[in-house]
Amino acid sequence: MQNQEKFENLVRQMLEILGEDTDRDGLKKTPQRVYKAMKFLTSGYDMDPKTVLNDALFDSTNNEMVLIKDIEFYSMCEHHLLPIIGRVHVAYIPNGKVVGLSKIPRMVNIFARRLQIQEQLTEQIANAIQEVIKPRGVGVVVEARHMCMEMRGVEKINSTTTTSALRGGFISDARTRKEFFSLINSPKEMRF
């Protein structure tokens, strides 16, 4: 509770420095709201992404690519505390083990719910999969919009940043790499 009070006081001070009246109706509860929002947006610090993956590892004879694409995420830029909005594509080639499909988006969310830079987020996802699942290869591509670039600075609206991290067979086998990039760039036309 003491940390929450400190945080709220700092938000109040910041608003006053910006010239706001913190006693006006719209701002009276803003310090509490900002505290709750920031606790939620950085909740990934309280979770272990590797534990999430370890909780759902299964033996498998599958040795073909497993791909989960278009995993939406929201994060916060560690430089400006402004939103990063994007999607992640994750693929791996099993080596005797597969992970429950829902665990990969959960793991992505844990890393995203920390103050981030996109380059580091991409590496963290690939490294966690490599360490826990120990596949023959991992491919991760992150595509995102950065509000620190769109709302301030160069103000380039709708610009997208793409980062990738490849491991194992995604580096050494050109066909695997080509298949991965072809699949993540294919149009979505699945109908059920």
Side-chain angles (χ1 to χ4, degrees):
M1 196 61 155
Q2 184 181 11
N3 282 340
Q4 181 175 348
E5 285 178 36
K6 280 182 177 177
F7 190 99
E8 290 175 12
N9 285 333
L10 291 170
V11 171
R12 200 169 289 105
Q13 288 174 25
M14 178 186 68
L15 291 169
E16 289 168 355
I17 289 168
L18 293 173
E20 282 290 350
D21 174 7
T22 56
D23 289 325
R24 71 177 172 90
D25 283 345
L27 290 179
K28 281 182 183 175
K29 294 186 179 180
T30 295
Q32 296 95 326
R33 290 184 193 108
V34 172
Y35 175 78
K36 286 179 184 176
M38 289 304 290
K39 286 297 285 181
F40 174 75
L41 293 170
T42 61
S43 61
Y45 291 116
D46 299 329
M47 297 177 260
D48 181 4
K50 293 175 187 170
T51 299
V52 169
L53 294 175
N54 267 317
D55 284 347
L57 275 180
F58 306 103
D59 292 332
S60 176
T61 58
N62 178 35
N63 61 3
E64 297 294 326
M65 187 183 305
V66 176
L67 167 66
I68 301 175
K69 68 185 230 178
D70 296 320
I71 302 167
E72 293 178 349
F73 77 92
Y74 300 91
S75 192
M76 297 285 286
C77 162
E78 69 182 31
H79 299 142
H80 303 97
L81 299 183
L82 289 172
I84 302 169
I85 303 164
R87 58 192 179 141
V88 179
H89 314 290
V90 177
Y92 70 96
I93 302 169
N95 189 18
K97 297 278 185 191
V98 294
V99 68
L101 294 176
S102 69
K103 302 307 180 189
I104 290 178
R106 273 190 199 167
M107 180 258 316
V108 166
N109 216 29
I110 290 170
F111 284 124
R113 294 285 185 217
R114 299 174 180 186
L115 299 179
Q116 282 290 6
I117 60 170
Q118 182 174 331
E119 299 87 342
Q120 188 63 34
L121 174 65
T122 309
E123 290 290 317
Q124 289 170 337
I125 294 166
N127 290 342
I129 291 170
Q130 188 66 46
E131 288 176 36
V132 175
I133 304 171
K134 298 182 183 3
R136 292 188 351 233
V138 176
V140 176
V141 170
V142 178
E143 301 169 305
R145 293 176 53 201
H146 294 253
M147 295 307 108
C148 59
M149 200 161 80
E150 292 189 30
M151 295 172 64
R152 54 157 304 280
V154 296
E155 296 184 65
K156 294 300 174 194
I157 297 171
N158 293 320
S159 60
T160 303
T161 301
T162 303
T163 52
S164 66
L166 305 175
R167 307 282 187 272
F170 286 81
I171 295 172
S172 62
D173 186 342
R175 289 179 304 171
T176 299
R177 188 171 48 257
K178 183 178 180 183
E179 178 185 2
F180 173 57
F181 285 106
S182 174
L183 287 170
I184 66 171
N185 290 313
S186 66
K188 265 205 257 193
E189 293 187 24
M190 291 181 80
R191 293 195 175 103
F192 296 98

